Amino acid sequence: MTRLQSDTSGVLLASAEGIARVQAALRERGFDGWLIYDFKDRNPIGRSLLGLEWTTRRGFALVPASGQPRLLIHAIEHSSWRHLDWPRASYSSRQRMEEGLRALLAGCKRVAAETSSRGDVPYLDLIPAGMRDVILDTGVELCSSGDLVSTFYAVWTPRQREEHGRASQLVKDLARDAFARAAEHVSRGETITEGALAAWIRSELAARGAPAQADCIVAIGPTAADPHYDPGEVGEPIRAGDLLLIDLWGACHDDSVPADQTWMGYFGSELPPRFAELWTVVKAARDGVVASLRERHARGEVIRGFEGDDVARGIITDAGYGEYFIHRTGHSIDRDIHGRGPNLDNLETRDDRILVPGVGFSVEPGIYIAGDVGIRTELNMHMGPDGPEVTVNEPQQDVFLLLKD
């Protein structure tokens, strides 16, 4: 059990420079402060920004738009917070906590926090309803910290971008090797199952240098109609004539940014027309998002997450398959495979956060017809210094044909 962060060199709010950057962003957005609340690890965003390791009571940190940050913490937890040399008040009773919270927020009107109106962005909705009521009772307007989180938590460092690039090539190469392995078994008339191939991919992710968060989805046509299908240890056998989806991901280490890609292969020498039609639609949706983001960035436009989803969903809907595109177009990727930055989503939620420079995300449109077939293509993008960039070399253009006549 570690109570104190021993090395705060990478902790944003432990440095004067980091505090100044946050305060400039608060003033730019018209916030009087950023209130970071945590109770027993419920706010990993705040804990990372503050450098917290272990706490058991409710704690509040306020970074005002100007002036010195300050704390309200429980009387037994001073050791857990001592790496932050900020003025602090302590409480022990709930009554003193509420009094202290009013004092902490005195003079503030608009305050950013990890909250989301109507739960529109669940990844940000980290303050329980009861505590939200307590905060609102102080008289402040509580606003989402979404774009602050994107800017100060979800952006990739140069090192993370480099490591993600290495992981991207590794994942791509492993996907091709997995298809080849399955094709070799099928061509020899040997049985290989979804589960067996998935187990091999997981072991190879670790062996080749992407052990962190490593996992995969291996699914033939009908089972791939469940986007998060898990074959277990065995699953279905892979046979000639099957369409195979492989979705695989992994990172170099725990603080690295994972690569997450989906590839499609067909166990035959010629792709059936129906599969070819579905592939053409999802590929057009993927490429449409990439092109739209690049064009809008070139025009200097602000781009929000839901707008990327609208592009892909519009293309798939116009092709007659809108009802079968049953998930968001893409998820944030930071140090977590499903990160805390903006998602490309206007279906499950309406993510209106800005795709700020430095954030990354997947683009993964799919068509899923229950009991019949599922098909998806996926690449990752990064809002780089020169604009939106695809992080894998040569994304898939055609479904791999895995058997010869």
Side-chain angles (χ1 to χ4, degrees):
M1 177 175 59
T2 302
R3 300 189 185 197
L4 180 65
Q5 177 119 338
S6 56
D7 179 10
T8 60
S9 58
V11 176
L12 180 74
L13 293 176
S15 70
E17 178 186 1
I19 293 169
R21 287 175 56 208
V22 170
Q23 290 182 321
L26 290 170
R27 293 192 293 270
E28 179 183 348
R29 291 165 172 79
F31 292 131
D32 297 310
W34 187 353
L35 179 66
I36 299 173
Y37 166 79
D38 186 50
F39 172 65
K40 289 183 68 65
D41 304 342
R42 290 189 180 182
N43 187 350
I45 298 167
R47 297 182 73 80
S48 175
L49 297 175
L50 294 166
L52 288 175
E53 291 287 349
W54 182 74
T55 58
T56 65
R57 302 297 196 274
R58 293 174 284 191
F60 307 83
L62 179 70
V63 181
S66 59
Q68 192 169 11
R70 48 195 186 268
L71 301 171
L72 174 65
I73 61 177
H74 195 276
I76 71 171
E77 295 210 318
H78 286 273
S79 289
S80 297
W81 295 80
R82 69 171 180 261
H83 61 289
L84 296 175
D85 186 22
W86 299 355
R88 66 188 60 191
S90 63
Y91 72 91
S92 55
S93 70
R94 63 183 185 279
Q95 293 87 355
R96 287 294 180 90
M97 183 196 74
E98 294 186 19
E99 292 169 5
L101 190 56
R102 291 190 188 92
L104 183 71
L105 294 172
C108 293
K109 294 182 179 178
R110 296 186 73 241
V111 175
E114 283 68 72
T115 187
S116 176
S117 177
R118 300 183 62 82
D120 278 349
V121 184
Y123 289 92
L124 281 178
D125 206 15
L126 302 179
I127 300 178
M131 180 51 65
R132 180 181 168 88
D133 290 342
V134 172
I135 296 170
L136 292 175
D137 282 347
T138 68
V140 300
E141 177 188 356
L142 208 54
C143 306
S144 172
S145 61
D147 288 331
L148 295 171
V149 171
S150 297
T151 301
F152 296 112
Y153 179 86
V155 295
W156 301 2
T157 66
R159 176 183 174 185
Q160 287 173 326
R161 175 64 183 90
E162 187 273 331
E163 290 174 341
H164 172 84
R166 285 195 277 122
S168 292
Q169 188 62 47
L170 184 159
V171 164
K172 175 185 176 180
D173 291 345
L174 178 54
R176 292 306 306 262
D177 291 347
F179 282 116
R181 181 181 179 86
E184 184 177 358
H185 279 76
V186 173
S187 64
R188 294 200 303 247
E190 299 172 353
T191 298
I192 184 169
T193 65
E194 297 166 323
L197 186 59
W200 181 82
I201 292 171
R202 293 186 192 102
S203 67
E204 288 295 305
L205 283 166
R208 299 187 188 196
Q213 305 183 60
D215 210 340
C216 64
I217 297 169
V218 175
I220 60 170
T223 60
D226 175 358
H228 280 182
Y229 170 73
D230 180 3
E233 294 184 2
V234 180
E236 297 296 322
I238 300 168
R239 299 186 174 98
D242 280 341
L243 184 69
L244 180 64
L245 177 152
I246 297 180
D247 183 347
L248 68 170
W249 57 92
C252 299
H253 54 82
D254 287 342
D255 196 44
S256 191
V257 172
D260 183 9
Q261 300 165 14
T262 302
W263 303 81
M264 301 297 305
Y266 176 69
F267 289 87
S269 60
E270 183 177 350
L271 191 64
R274 184 161 176 271
F275 291 165
E277 177 186 352
L278 297 176
W279 170 256
T280 298
V281 174
V282 296
K283 178 179 173 292
R286 181 197 73 190
D287 294 346
V289 173
V290 173
S292 174
L293 295 181
R294 287 173 170 168
E295 291 165 3
R296 294 191 59 190
H297 178 271
R299 295 195 296 266
E301 298 180 14
V302 171
I303 312 169
R304 299 182 184 275
F306 74 88
E307 294 171 320
D309 185 80
D310 286 347
V311 172
R313 201 163 302 283
I315 291 170
I316 291 176
T317 299
D318 288 346
Y321 294 102
E323 67 181 290
Y324 304 110
F325 183 17
I326 57 176
H327 58 68
R328 63 193 172 199
T329 294
H331 57 81
S332 166
I333 305 174
D334 48 40
R335 67 203 75 178
D336 294 319
I337 188 67
H338 286 182
R340 301 282 179 167
N343 302 309
L344 305 188
D345 189 5
N346 198 18
L347 175 70
E348 302 172 45
T349 69
R350 180 177 175 82
D351 200 324
D352 64 355
R353 290 176 290 173
I354 297 171
L355 301 180
V356 299
V359 298
F361 45 88
S362 70
V363 179
E364 49 181 305
I367 294 173
Y368 311 93
I369 303 174
D372 184 5
V373 66
I375 192 164
R376 176 167 71 248
T377 178
E378 178 184 12
L379 51 75
N380 303 155
M381 297 191 72
H382 178 244
M383 300 298 286
D386 298 320
E389 54 194 25
V390 174
T391 65
V392 64
N393 293 325
E394 300 179 357
Q396 187 170 16
Q397 300 302 316
D398 300 293
V399 175
F400 303 136
L401 300 177
L402 301 172
L403 297 178
K404 298 179 181 179
D405 288 332

